[in-house]
Amino acid sequence: MADFVLGRIKFVWKGNWATGTSYIKDDVLKIELEVPGLSNKDVDVKVEDRFLLIKAEKENRKLERKYKIHESFDLGSTSAICKDGLLNIEIPKYEDRKAKNITVKVK
């Protein structure tokens, strides 16, 4: 298990290091993982407590990752799409945790 950190992600896939990336855009945590040759039938994404679990298996290839996600994100609204060898996961922030713009009057 790893605490989730934004930026580049490394994991073992096909016996080699593969990569992915994560970032926050419009108050949504976006995770993109390269999983060549996989379809949505080969990938399982689950949520347990504050953890995001990603499992994929095809033939002799296997991927398992577990990430602790910050409490400001609504794991119950997690969505995932696996298409063309790319797994995209999106986790929105809770409404009351989204960034607010406040204008500060400068004197």
Side-chain angles (χ1 to χ4, degrees), residues 67-84:
Y67 296 105
K68 184 176 182 181
I69 304 297
H70 191 270
E71 64 189 27
S72 62
F73 290 95
D74 181 5
L75 284 168
S77 296
T78 300
S79 64
I81 297 172
C82 185
K83 186 175 178 183
D84 299 327

Side-chain angles (χ1 to χ4, degrees), residues 90-106:
E90 294 188 354
I91 309 170
K93 279 191 176 180
Y94 284 108
E95 285 297 320
D96 63 342
R97 301 285 179 98
K98 290 184 177 180
K100 296 175 178 69
N101 293 326
I102 299 170
T103 303
V104 177
K105 187 175 181 179
V106 179

Side-chain angles (χ1 to χ4, degrees), residues 12-54:
V12 176
W13 181 248
K14 293 175 77 172
N16 299 310
W17 282 102
T19 60
T21 190
S22 62
Y23 54 94
I24 297 173
K25 182 178 180 182
D26 300 326
D27 290 317
V28 176
L29 173 60
K30 297 180 181 268
I31 303 165
E32 299 172 351
L33 300 174
E34 297 169 8
V35 287
L38 291 186
S39 70
N40 59 340
K41 296 175 186 174
D42 305 315
V43 177
D44 186 28
V45 177
K46 292 184 180 179
V47 171
E48 290 180 6
D49 297 320
R50 296 294 331 150
F51 296 95
L52 176 68
L53 297 106
I54 304 166

